[in-house]
Amino acid sequence: MGAERAERILDAAAELIARYGYAKTSVSDVARAAGIAKGAIYREFPSKEAVLEALLDRQTRRLTGAVARAVREDPVGARLSTVYRHALGALAADPLMRALYTADSQVLGDVVRRRGPERYGPRQRLVVEFVSRMQRAGLIRADLAAEAVAHVLGILSVGLVAIESTVGSEAAPPLEETLEALSALLADGFETGPGADSADGRRVFDSFLADLAAAAQPPPDSARRE
Amino acid sequence: MGAERAERILDAAAELIARYGYAKTSVSDVARAAGIAKGAIYREFPSKEAVLEALLDRQTRRLTGAVARAVREDPVGARLSTVYRHALGALAADPLMRALYTADSQVLGDVVRRRGPERYGPRQRLVVEFVSRMQRAGLIRADLAAEAVAHVLGILSVGLVAIESTVGSEAAPPLEETLEALSALLADGFETGPGADSADGRRVFDSFLADLAAAAQPPPDSARRE
């Protein structure tokens, strides 16, 4: 019961936040849209911020799943440029992430500033490990520190989502062109090794996915149900 | 008189904003720190937001000047990777820009969202022109649209400044390592042509600087004094 209700709450919250922003979405709004009593929300989530946290966790799991599928289906295989092309494309196309980072950056900013380092730190350590393994497999240049390469990848992700609120969307070229340029930049700037697929890359990427899944927050209520 | 007083107001505002943030800095605070009457500020600037705008314009002129000097002194010369290494380094090292984008992003966000596109649009068109000229000179790969390359350069700048508020500064590697990785990425990912200096690159960069200077807001009060 709890898990299904929690999902319904998160669905309603996602739609309201994408449309009106986090600041203008109240717990009462979410309750009404989800068709449940306000008190029932507080049995699942202690606060509105907890709803946002759970939503970000769920969205992160979904994005990771979408990227894993896209990389698996990509004929070029699991290279840094294909992984990040799919990751950045999924991030930029996500209406919730766009809403949170653009119209709503001041509010999300507060939550992210308080919780960002503890949310981001462990995940970023896994990206460093991924880069480091790709370097040992000969698929990423080894003359740069894995931490610096991973940080640059983070800069690209944050920059892609944040630039819209800085410059407006009119000034930007079509997303596909931007993703192509980013992918070409990473392929020629950070990758080494042959242009074709590589079983090593796939193995390293699969370990990365397994690490991410192990580190992720459990889906809502699963802890309580076990 | 006006120009000197305007500079004194901007100096005081820069120091207060860097220390306390834009939101917590009032026009009265600026007047007190500058040692002039509040009414005198309003003779130079119609509002607190106008002070911020003038400050951003001044800082942009100073950053451009610092980058021009650094590129001139760089033995590698005016290549995309050296220009952006110096530009990103100057941006990341600027306490005012860091304060505005990190502690204060919610407030700056409002100003930037309202005025960002009109501030950023003309400047970005000059970056597109710079990339396009570098492509014709054989110094940037020509298989990507100049608009897309310029947008990626914008993503790197915004991402570098914005990532601190997302992830905290503890998780980041030393700035010099990040700049080295960014510079290596641009050199191998976007540049073409020989690794050495190029008179063409310098010529293209000098035109870019001239265009930026022509498009920049005039220094405070200069219009009224002419």
Side-chain angles (χ1 to χ4, degrees):
Chain A
M1 174 203 77
E4 193 226 315
R5 187 163 56 190
E7 287 297 319
R8 191 143 43 106
I9 293 167
L10 295 183
D11 289 340
E15 207 184 307
L16 290 170
I17 291 174
R19 188 175 308 173
Y20 304 109
Y22 176 76
K24 296 203 180 93
T25 299
S26 69
V27 172
S28 304
D29 296 333
V30 174
R32 203 173 312 119
I36 59 177
K38 191 170 162 184
I41 293 194
Y42 285 115
R43 278 197 291 281
E44 303 292 335
F45 302 102
S47 64
K48 181 173 129 176
E49 187 173 322
V51 175
L52 178 64
E53 294 265 352
L55 200 50
L56 288 173
D57 289 336
R58 186 176 82 167
Q59 215 63 14
T60 303
R61 280 194 306 276
R62 288 183 178 178
L63 281 176
T64 304
V67 174
R69 277 189 302 280
V71 170
R72 210 174 301 129
E73 286 161 16
D74 192 314
V76 177
R79 298 182 65 79
L80 179 70
S81 54
T82 51
V83 170
Y84 267 80
R85 184 189 181 123
H86 295 304
L88 295 172
L91 191 65
D94 184 322
L96 184 69
M97 297 306 268
R98 286 160 62 96
L100 287 170
Y101 274 87
T102 54
D104 223 23
S105 63
Q106 67 279 33
V107 175
L108 187 71
D110 288 341
V111 177
V112 162
R113 242 190 311 286
R114 252 178 301 126
R115 304 288 316 278
E118 82 191 65
R119 287 186 72 85
Y120 183 88
R123 201 179 161 87
Q124 188 60 5
R125 277 191 287 281
L126 298 182
V127 177
V128 172
E129 182 59 30
F130 168 69
V131 170
S132 180
R133 286 179 191 156
M134 291 290 268
Q135 287 177 318
R136 287 197 296 273
L139 291 161
I140 292 184
R141 61 195 288 175
D143 62 331
L144 299 169
E147 289 76 12
V149 171
H151 194 59
V152 167
L153 296 173
I155 287 171
L156 290 178
S157 309
V158 170
L160 180 70
V161 182
I163 198 168
E164 207 175 311
S165 65
T166 313
V167 310
S169 46
E170 315 83 49
L175 179 61
E176 269 310 307
E177 269 183 38
T178 301
L179 293 176
E180 191 193 326
L182 281 166
S183 173
L185 176 67
L186 290 174
D188 292 344
F190 276 163
E191 286 180 7
T192 51
D197 191 357
S198 148
D200 284 338
R202 200 165 288 283
R203 218 161 24 240
V204 172
F205 183 59
D206 286 343
S207 317
F208 178 49
L209 290 175
D211 289 350
L212 281 176
Q217 299 299 314
D221 220 42
S222 70
R224 265 172 286 165
R225 288 159 78 216
E226 270 150 24
Chain B
M1 173 203 79
E4 193 228 313
R5 187 163 57 190
E7 287 297 319
R8 191 143 43 105
I9 293 167
L10 295 183
D11 288 340
E15 206 184 309
L16 290 169
I17 291 174
R19 188 175 309 172
Y20 304 109
Y22 176 76
K24 295 204 181 92
T25 298
S26 69
V27 172
S28 305
D29 295 335
V30 174
R32 203 173 312 118
I36 59 178
K38 192 171 162 184
I41 292 193
Y42 286 114
R43 278 198 292 280
E44 304 292 335
F45 302 101
S47 64
K48 182 174 128 175
E49 187 174 321
V51 175
L52 178 63
E53 294 264 353
L55 201 50
L56 289 173
D57 288 335
R58 186 175 82 168
Q59 216 62 15
T60 302
R61 281 194 305 276
R62 288 183 179 178
L63 281 176
T64 304
V67 174
R69 277 191 301 281
V71 170
R72 211 175 300 128
E73 286 161 17
D74 192 313
V76 177
R79 298 183 66 80
L80 179 69
S81 55
T82 51
V83 169
Y84 267 81
R85 186 189 178 120
H86 295 305
L88 295 172
L91 191 65
D94 184 322
L96 184 67
M97 297 307 269
R98 287 161 61 97
L100 286 172
Y101 274 86
T102 54
D104 222 20
S105 62
Q106 67 280 34
V107 175
L108 187 71
D110 288 341
V111 177
V112 162
R113 242 188 311 286
R114 253 179 300 127
R115 303 290 315 280
E118 82 190 69
R119 287 186 71 85
Y120 183 87
R123 201 181 161 86
Q124 188 61 5
R125 277 190 288 281
L126 298 182
V127 178
V128 172
E129 181 59 30
F130 168 69
V131 170
S132 180
R133 286 180 191 156
M134 292 290 268
Q135 287 178 318
R136 286 197 297 273
L139 291 161
I140 292 185
R141 61 194 288 175
D143 61 331
L144 298 169
E147 289 77 12
V149 172
H151 194 59
V152 168
L153 296 173
I155 287 171
L156 291 177
S157 308
V158 170
L160 180 70
V161 182
I163 198 166
E164 206 174 312
S165 66
T166 313
V167 310
S169 48
E170 315 80 51
L175 179 61
E176 269 310 307
E177 269 184 39
T178 301
L179 292 177
E180 191 192 326
L182 281 166
S183 172
L185 176 66
L186 290 174
D188 292 343
F190 276 163
E191 286 181 8
T192 51
D197 191 357
S198 147
D200 284 337
R202 200 164 288 284
R203 216 160 27 238
V204 172
F205 183 59
D206 285 344
S207 317
F208 179 49
L209 291 175
D211 289 350
L212 281 176
Q217 299 299 314
D221 221 42
S222 68
R224 264 172 286 165
R225 288 159 76 216
E226 273 151 23

